[in-house]
Amino acid sequence: MKTFSWGRRKPQQGPAQRPVPRREYLPGEREALLIGILLGTDTDVRLDEQYDAASDLAAFPSDAVVAALARTAGDPAQPDETLVDLCAESIAEIWIHRGAVDHDLLARLTPRGRREAERTVAHRAPELLAR
């Protein structure tokens, strides 16, 4: 006859976990990788990776980043509204960091992107929206 132990189970002992070393990036390299992910195609990258890249790019206030974000947020054929929102929000974050809104670029965004960028700036730095 079998007997059962109804007490606590011992935790499984697995292989020792080694910390994974963090990769060091050269200046501009992480920014370029994120732009590549953002502008990738459906066959290259997953949509959730593009979302992450769009959000992460707000930390890189360069003209190249703004151009990549604007390419997505200003594309009327872009089918994913969340991606447009994230790109427009990152553009707004960069404008807030720079202390100035690019009104010409704002006008070139899709209506949805424009609303999201204006909403973000109005919430965090409304004085920047005045021309």
Side-chain angles (χ1 to χ4, degrees):
M1 179 160 18
K2 245 183 183 176
T3 59
F4 296 96
S5 170
W6 298 101
R8 290 184 170 194
R9 282 178 80 174
K10 280 183 158 180
Q12 293 283 334
Q13 296 294 327
Q17 297 284 331
R18 284 189 237 155
V20 177
R22 294 198 77 162
R23 182 171 188 269
E24 295 294 323
Y25 292 96
L26 297 172
E29 184 180 15
R30 186 160 182 246
E31 176 182 333
L33 290 169
L34 289 170
I35 289 171
I37 292 168
L38 175 66
L39 301 178
T41 63
D42 292 344
T43 58
D44 295 342
V45 294
R46 296 186 325 256
L47 192 55
D48 64 306
E49 293 172 326
Q50 287 180 303
Y51 291 169
D52 290 343
S55 295
D56 292 347
L57 282 168
F60 301 92
S62 73
D63 291 341
V65 167
V66 173
L69 292 165
R71 182 171 160 187
T72 301
D75 182 1
Q78 174 54 252
D80 192 278
E81 293 177 343
T82 301
L83 187 58
V84 169
D85 289 348
L86 291 169
C87 288
E89 184 177 354
S90 288
I91 291 169
E93 293 290 335
I94 291 170
W95 289 339
I96 292 165
H97 174 79
R98 290 179 174 179
V101 171
D102 181 342
H103 291 279
D104 293 332
L105 175 58
L106 182 63
R108 290 193 311 267
L109 298 179
T110 63
R112 183 178 183 93
R114 190 175 316 113
R115 278 191 308 273
E116 184 62 28
E118 287 174 338
R119 186 195 63 76
T120 301
V121 174
H123 179 72
R124 301 244 341 266
E127 68 280 3
L128 296 180
L129 287 175
R131 266 203 191 246

